[in-house]
């Protein structure tokens, strides 16, 4: 998937972009930061611990994805759009 992203960006914009790895890394750190906070707000009751763990993991993943999406949109608007609309 990462290689496909590099190929698409290079094919469309004609420059190499290495921001994908930074956004993935930011998502990983966001998940590490958000995880303990989700555990604090969603305490796990004793029965059916697996279901609660899956719910909390899903919440962490969704929040990290939303953060990465927002960062990707900001990068596109601030960096890529001016490069695409600039005259060669």
């Amino acid at each position: 998937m990462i290689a496909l992203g590099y190929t698409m960006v290079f094919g469309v914009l004609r420059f190499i972009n290495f921001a994908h790895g930074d956004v993935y890394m930011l998502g990983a750190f966001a998940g590490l930061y958000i995880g303990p906070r989700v555990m604090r707000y969603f305490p796990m009751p004793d029965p059916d611990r697996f279901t609660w763990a899956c719910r909390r993991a899903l919440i962490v993943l969704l929040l990290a994805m939303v953060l990465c999406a927002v960062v990707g949109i900001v990068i596109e608007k601030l960096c890529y759009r001016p490069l695409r609309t600039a005259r060669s």
Side-chain angles (χ1 to χ4, degrees):
M1 291 297 286
I2 295 172
L4 180 63
Y6 287 146
T7 303
M8 289 175 60
V9 169
F10 181 72
V12 173
L13 300 177
R14 296 291 181 212
F15 66 91
I16 297 175
N17 171 25
F18 293 106
H20 292 88
D22 295 339
V23 175
Y24 289 132
M25 181 188 66
L26 181 67
F29 279 116
L32 285 173
Y33 179 79
I34 294 169
R37 280 130 189 97
V38 168
M39 290 173 65
R40 189 178 325 150
Y41 290 114
F42 295 99
M44 193 179 317
D46 283 336
D48 204 10
R49 294 174 68 87
F50 180 73
T51 302
W52 276 96
C54 289
R55 286 179 187 168
R56 290 192 310 192
L58 183 63
I59 291 170
V60 170
L61 286 172
L62 289 174
L63 290 174
M65 283 189 265
V66 167
L67 178 71
C68 287
V70 169
V71 168
I73 291 168
V74 169
I75 289 172
E76 197 276 330
K77 288 189 184 282
L78 294 178
C79 300
Y80 293 155
R81 190 168 290 163
L83 286 174
R84 277 186 293 188
T85 57
R87 293 191 179 249
S88 303

